[in-house]
Amino acid sequence: GDHRDLHLSIRRQRQMCIRDRNMSDLNLDKLPGGFKGMSEDIGSDQTTFKGVNWGKAMMWIFLLSDTFVFSCFLVAYMKVRASVVEPWPYPSEVFALEMFGVPVPLLLIAIMTFVLITSSGTMALAVKYGYEKNRKMCGWFVLLTAIGGLTFVGMQAFEWSKLIFHDGVRPWGNPFGAEQFGAFFFMITGFHGTHVSIGVIFLFIFARKVFRGDFDTGRRGYFTSMKSDYEAIEILGLYWHFVDLVWVFIFAFFYLW
């Protein structure tokens, strides 16, 4: 028994000596610096995202890429608007809604903005109750958020139909001024409306999952084998808050400028 303990002690000391020698041979100056070093650090192991939900990390990456897309659209819009020689249509004239025979500027747009921003608040409450594992309240607030998003999409469809069939606005021309107005308006608001519509679909799906208790039992999803968890509500909330934030910029650039 004594010989065996001595042998194990010698073996441990030898392993520690080898490890210390390897550490001493490591020269930090030889490691790449700058962006190349950052990419190698991220690609070499999982240290960067250690302890972070992969769904949340991927959602942030998606939102970052989507930010670039919307930024390119809005920058192109500003460039064209600043360079055209024809007068740009006045928002108070184009987006006026007639009430009792009196045109009210931006009335519909103000209601749309209020509904969408309010849905962002209900989404935040859904995330709160989700982490508290309050299934009933979480489900109702997710459902309210979905109804708010659906209301926004419905009002946007009404706005489009009014501009197209009543006012004669087209992507290639309009009776209010510069021809480029229609192309940028339908492209940017349509792209944003597509995001809202996709979000509404997922909100209704998640509301059903919450009420059914999928996030309490860890039921696996239909399209994936991953177990359900209330953190998915927060991930969906990130997407919905992004959609609301983008609308604030669209509202400022198209309806106030």
Side-chain angles (χ1 to χ4, degrees):
D2 295 338
H3 290 289
R4 184 179 179 182
D5 294 339
L6 180 62
H7 176 72
L8 291 175
S9 177
I10 295 174
R11 186 177 178 181
R12 291 195 194 98
Q13 291 179 0
R14 185 181 300 171
Q15 289 176 346
M16 293 178 62
C17 290
I18 295 174
R19 185 187 63 183
D20 293 340
R21 185 170 65 249
N22 291 336
M23 291 296 294
S24 63
D25 292 339
L26 179 63
N27 189 353
L28 296 178
D29 296 333
K30 295 181 180 179
L31 296 176
F35 287 104
K36 184 178 180 181
M38 182 178 67
S39 63
E40 288 199 7
D41 290 342
I42 294 176
S44 61
D45 52 30
Q46 300 181 17
T47 303
T48 307
F49 297 109
K50 184 69 72 176
V52 178
N53 182 285
W54 275 105
K56 187 184 297 184
M58 293 304 103
M59 177 57 75
W60 277 113
I61 293 174
F62 166 75
L63 295 181
L64 179 62
S65 64
D66 225 21
T67 301
F68 291 136
V69 175
F70 276 106
S71 298
C72 289
F73 284 166
L74 292 176
V75 169
Y77 165 75
M78 289 188 291
K79 171 67 170 60
V80 170
R81 181 167 177 176
S83 59
V84 294
V85 294
E86 297 182 32
W88 200 261
Y90 291 105
S92 58
E93 177 185 357
V94 177
F95 303 110
L97 188 65
E98 192 169 306
M99 295 290 292
F100 306 106
V102 180
V104 181
L106 303 178
L107 175 62
L108 179 64
I109 312 305
I111 298 174
M112 290 170 59
T113 304
F114 174 78
V115 169
L116 197 61
I117 298 302
T118 302
S119 72
S120 188
T122 57
M123 189 71 231
L125 289 173
V127 174
K128 170 186 178 295
Y129 286 115
Y131 275 109
E132 293 176 358
K133 299 190 183 303
N134 189 332
R135 183 175 68 180
K136 184 178 179 180
M137 293 301 295
C138 178
W140 278 116
F141 276 109
V142 171
L143 186 60
L144 282 174
T145 306
I147 294 173
L150 187 63
T151 304
F152 175 87
V153 174
M155 288 189 291
Q156 190 173 56
F158 172 78
E159 177 193 32
W160 275 39
S161 62
K162 175 180 177 297
L163 291 174
I164 295 172
F165 300 112
H166 183 267
D167 298 330
V169 178
R170 300 291 187 273
W172 52 86
N174 67 90
F176 298 104
E179 296 181 353
Q180 295 86 344
F181 167 79
F184 276 102
F185 175 78
F186 289 124
M187 178 183 67
I188 296 178
T189 59
F191 191 60
H192 176 265
T194 302
H195 280 69
V196 177
S197 301
I198 294 172
V200 168
I201 293 173
F202 276 93
L203 283 166
F204 278 115
I205 293 174
F206 273 54
R208 180 174 181 271
K209 288 169 69 70
V210 172
F211 283 123
R212 194 170 58 183
D214 290 7
F215 299 126
D216 295 300
T217 60
R219 181 173 178 174
R220 298 185 184 276
Y222 182 77
F223 294 105
T224 176
S225 61
M226 296 179 62
K227 292 184 178 180
S228 300
D229 186 83
Y230 276 106
E231 194 167 11
I233 301 295
E234 182 186 3
I235 297 173
L236 181 59
L238 292 175
Y239 176 85
W240 194 252
H241 293 318
F242 171 79
V243 168
D244 293 351
L245 180 61
V246 170
W247 176 253
V248 172
F249 286 95
I250 294 176
F251 176 78
F253 281 91
F254 268 102
Y255 301 105
L256 298 182
W257 184 16

